[in-house]
Amino acid sequence: MSDSVQFYVGVDGGGTSCRARITELNGQVLGEAKTGSANILLGSEVAMASIQDAIATAAAQAHLGPEHYAHMRVGLALAGAEQKIAWYDFMAQPHPYAAVTLNTDAYGACLGAWAGKDGAILIAGTGSCGIYLSEGTQHVVGGREFPISDQGGGAVMGLRLIQQVLLAQDGLRPVTPLVSHVMAHFRHDIDAIVSWSKSARPCDYGQFSPAIFDYAYQGDALGIDLLNQTAADIEMWMKALIQRGASRICLMGSIAERIIPWLIPPMQQRVAVPQGDAMDGALAMARGHHNLYPL
């Protein structure tokens, strides 16, 4: 490591938000910030702008300026990084930092959850992905991005909700309070839903996941159906990780953490408590060499 490196920066970027944390070499946290999406499949330049904004905001908290960027080693745990073309496109961009290492958000979360040791996690936030780290090998399930993958994530939950809301408008399922909630969001205009869907991003669908949980706990039949389906998706990914050798699995992310009571008991017994979070993993990446692909 170059003697010029004075700071480690960990960045955890998903489909909804990007978090950056700056520490001294001894681990002392200096600043932390949160900005918009850093999924590199939504555009390398967009993701880089969000990352640099988060780092700049965290640096300002630490009373650091652009002149300090060249002394920062940055670990990036980003959604979409598993796609090789997107990975290389992103890494080809210029940056002001001393060094950058890039791997997936799931990889960063797994490093954090198991304190750098072997283990498995299932991360389900806006999207979803399972990963089992064993003797230097990554075993990955899912995580191929919305809408073709990411079952168990908030975006898929939101998509299913919108589909059922439209079916309710056609009289094919009951109009529940959750259905009415969504219709009110769109001012009871079906055409508005259709127009919105043409440009809606994963985070736009994912915004409805908290309402699904809230209404399900109030006894809403549609909310309950959707949570049961999400629980089945999470169980599917957990079983896939178990088949690959995992014994315990940390569930991480806004959806995964809330879905645990809805899992069948055998899967609940497989759930482990994370020792750290994705930010801890991203900082561990900054301290080492964790690129997913060779440069």
Side-chain angles (χ1 to χ4, degrees), residues 157-181:
M157 290 175 66
L159 173 60
R160 289 171 177 164
L161 171 60
I162 295 298
Q163 292 171 336
Q164 295 304 310
V165 166
L166 293 178
L167 290 176
Q169 302 313 301
D170 290 335
L172 298 176
R173 69 164 300 134
V175 175
T176 71
L178 177 56
V179 170
S180 298
H181 169 80

Side-chain angles (χ1 to χ4, degrees), residues 107-126:
Y107 180 84
C110 198
L111 278 183
W114 294 97
K117 300 177 182 178
D118 288 352
I121 66 142
L122 178 60
I123 182 169
T126 304

